[in-house]
Amino acid sequence: MAADHGEPGILKLNTEIERLEKELAEQTNLAEERLEQLKYLQAEFDNFRKWSEKEKGSVITHANENLIKDLLVILDDFEQSLPSLEDEKNQKGVRMVYQKMVKILADYGLEPIECIGKKSDPHFHEVVCRKQCTDEPGTIVEEIGKGYCLKSKVIRPSKVMVAETISEEKGEKNGEREDNRD
């Protein structure tokens, strides 16, 4: 009797095993797909987080840049007023306030553009006039207006005077006219 029920029972078990193996394969594939989707979403979220932090930093930097540009006007006023103060006591006080302001702005990344004796660079300098002298042409001989960089970005170029070659020729090029009257 056990033999009669054995073969159909084995077939039934084999069929059930095949069905379960097929279902297991489908569920494994589904789990792998979900894992890939999860990895993709996690990477997408990380990219969004990085972009969001960068954007936040950009907004802060832009706000700081605008504020610092506005404060540069006051810094210029300090620089201009210091030499004109006659009372040494007042000059020391104003100089202390000026130095504190310079330090605070430097802590935010503000740096003056050094220019005297350097070659003129349109990224950092705005040439406002030229001076005929013996220095190499294009060399900055005088700073007319101080320029500044904020974290390596020029927020105000230096206004400068550059050297121009002295020409030995007479004529309109040097502002002189040749007089051909005899």
Side-chain angles (χ1 to χ4, degrees):
M1 239 171 134
D4 290 342
H5 293 293
E7 261 187 53
I10 291 177
L11 281 175
K12 194 174 183 183
L13 281 174
N14 284 340
T15 306
E16 183 64 17
I17 289 173
E18 285 177 13
R19 186 188 67 77
L20 287 174
E21 284 176 344
K22 185 178 177 184
E23 188 177 326
L24 177 62
E26 288 173 359
Q27 293 301 320
T28 302
N29 285 340
L30 184 61
E32 287 174 357
E33 285 177 19
R34 296 293 188 257
L35 182 61
E36 286 302 311
Q37 288 175 344
L38 184 61
K39 286 179 182 177
Y40 175 80
L41 286 173
Q42 186 175 8
E44 201 171 271
F45 179 74
D46 284 344
N47 289 340
F48 173 76
R49 183 182 47 78
K50 289 174 188 173
W51 173 84
S52 180
E53 287 174 7
K54 184 178 176 183
E55 189 67 20
K56 179 181 168 187
S58 177
V59 167
I60 290 170
T61 299
H62 185 67
N64 284 346
E65 182 179 327
N66 288 336
L67 175 63
I68 289 172
K69 279 182 181 178
D70 290 343
L71 291 175
L72 286 179
V73 176
I74 297 168
L75 196 64
D76 291 341
D77 291 344
F78 268 120
E79 287 177 354
Q80 290 175 358
S81 68
L82 284 173
S84 66
L85 291 174
E86 293 176 18
D87 186 343
E88 195 174 309
K89 213 177 209 181
N90 286 340
Q91 190 181 38
K92 285 181 183 177
V94 172
R95 187 172 300 282
M96 279 178 39
V97 173
Y98 168 76
Q99 288 171 340
K100 284 181 183 179
M101 186 173 179
V102 167
K103 184 186 179 322
I104 289 169
L105 293 173
D107 289 345
Y108 278 88
L110 185 73
E111 296 176 4
I113 297 172
E114 299 298 327
C115 58
I116 301 293
K118 295 186 175 186
K119 280 292 216 181
S120 175
D121 180 344
H123 296 103
F124 297 98
H125 313 115
E126 179 183 336
V127 177
V128 293
C129 58
R130 300 180 184 284
K131 180 179 182 181
Q132 291 188 349
C133 61
T134 57
D135 291 353
E136 186 178 335
T139 302
I140 298 169
V141 293
E142 187 178 330
E143 181 180 56
I144 296 167
K146 199 168 213 47
Y148 293 93
C149 288
L150 181 63
K151 296 183 179 178
S152 302
K153 177 185 176 192
V154 176
I155 60 171
R156 185 172 81 181
S158 298
K159 294 183 186 309
V160 298
M161 176 187 296
V162 295
E164 184 175 75
T165 306
I166 297 174
S167 177
E168 303 261 335
E169 297 176 21
K170 287 190 175 185
E172 289 188 28
K173 290 182 183 177
N174 289 324
E176 299 174 11
R177 290 185 158 197
E178 286 185 20
D179 203 354
N180 290 334
R181 286 184 247 161
D182 285 42

